[in-house]
Amino acid sequence: AQSVTQLDSQVPVFEEAPVELRCNYSSSVSVYLFWYVQYPNQGLQLLLKYLSGSTLVESINGFEAEFNKSQTSFHLRKPSVHISDTAEYFCAVTVSGGYNKLIFGAGTRLAVHP
Amino acid sequence: DAGVIQSPRHEVTEMGQEVTLRCKPISGHDYLFWYRQTMMRGLELLIYFNNNVPIDDSGMPEDRFSAKMPNASFSTLKIQPSEPRDSAVYFCASRPGALPYGYTFGSGTRLTVV
């Protein structure tokens, strides 16, 4: 079975500073990895995904994540955060095949301060 | 497309009452998922359907919980009788075909049982 561990429940950071949100997964088979973002009182939105190919994936708003198979990690990074990035971020994993399901980590609350 | 539509957005009910949450998936999506989000347990997968058939209900916490999908455009999650510990945000998500990505989440139903 797959599982996801997000190592930090909360990450406070000042505006324009870099940030890294950590995610580790466990699985006995090949995985697909995702980062979702949840703004207050909203549903989850896909931020970026790793399916195959290049291990570095990017989102349209400046976030990037790198798939590291040897370390079973998929950490999320942004070189300079904005106040508007304040949200909860969830790492998720699934496997190939029709009857698969998305398993989420516990989430990391990113708080960007002015 | 209007996305995944959940109703109601908020529900407050008294302990012991029956609660029904509703979800309309995106047209053409073959898979439908029900998740529950709480502070203590994060995002938990309760049950999911493929072509209206329940595939995995191992996440359903108790017999008080039941879910149905009578057709491709409608699903319900019912709690009877409800208890205060059922208070949470319940999300519905749908996904097209056997691909491991493409999940779209609804805005959620915030349930409060008093």
Side-chain angles (χ1 to χ4, degrees):
Chain A
Q2 303 82 44
S3 67
V4 179
T5 302
Q6 291 185 243
L7 298 166
D8 307 294
S9 59
Q10 296 186 60
V11 174
V13 64
F14 287 108
E15 193 173 20
E16 298 184 5
V19 70
E20 178 180 79
L21 307 184
R22 296 179 292 170
C23 172
N24 286 90
Y25 68 93
S26 65
S27 175
S28 58
V29 297
S30 296
V31 297
Y32 302 105
L33 294 157
F34 307 82
W35 276 99
Y36 281 81
V37 59
Q38 184 181 31
Y39 297 103
N41 299 314
Q42 295 187 26
L44 282 82
Q45 303 172 34
L46 180 64
L47 189 61
L48 46 76
K49 61 181 182 286
Y50 170 77
L51 303 178
S52 64
S54 173
T55 58
L56 184 66
V57 291
E58 299 178 352
S59 71
I60 58 173
N61 57 353
F63 283 93
E64 65 179 28
E66 186 164 18
F67 171 57
N68 188 318
K69 187 175 182 179
S70 63
Q71 297 187 5
T72 61
S73 67
F74 191 56
H75 301 332
L76 182 69
R77 302 184 182 93
K78 189 170 185 179
S80 176
V81 295
H82 303 288
I83 296 287
S84 59
D85 293 324
T86 295
E88 185 116 20
Y89 292 80
F90 293 91
C91 185
V93 64
T94 190
V95 298
S96 62
Y99 289 168
N100 60 62
K101 45 193 179 183
L102 202 55
I103 304 300
F104 287 92
T108 298
R109 184 171 299 277
L110 176 64
V112 182
H113 302 285
Chain B
D1 199 317
V4 176
I5 300 172
Q6 292 187 245
S7 64
R9 287 298 306 274
H10 303 272
E11 177 79 38
V12 180
T13 191
E14 292 185 347
M15 182 174 63
Q17 296 297 306
E18 177 181 295
V19 176
T20 299
L21 312 181
R22 297 172 176 80
C23 175
K24 176 179 169 55
I26 291 177
S27 177
H29 281 196
D30 298 335
Y31 288 81
L32 183 140
F33 303 79
W34 282 100
Y35 285 86
R36 179 174 68 175
Q37 184 179 34
T38 61
M39 288 292 291
M40 292 298 294
R41 302 174 68 91
L43 274 159
E44 303 172 277
L45 177 63
L46 301 178
I47 185 172
Y48 74 96
F49 297 82
N50 174 225
N51 291 324
N52 314 336
V53 176
I55 302 300
D56 184 350
D57 65 354
S58 60
M60 296 286 262
E62 300 173 33
D63 291 345
R64 298 184 295 106
F65 286 70
S66 63
K68 294 182 180 179
M69 193 164 184
N71 57 63
S73 59
F74 184 64
S75 176
T76 60
L77 179 67
K78 184 179 295 185
I79 308 173
Q80 166 63 19
S82 58
E83 298 183 2
R85 59 195 169 114
D86 302 330
S87 297
V89 181
Y90 292 81
F91 288 104
C92 176
S94 67
R95 191 192 83 204
L99 298 173
Y101 53 90
Y103 289 78
T104 301
F105 283 79
S107 298
T109 294
R110 182 175 296 276
L111 173 64
T112 303
V113 183
V114 298

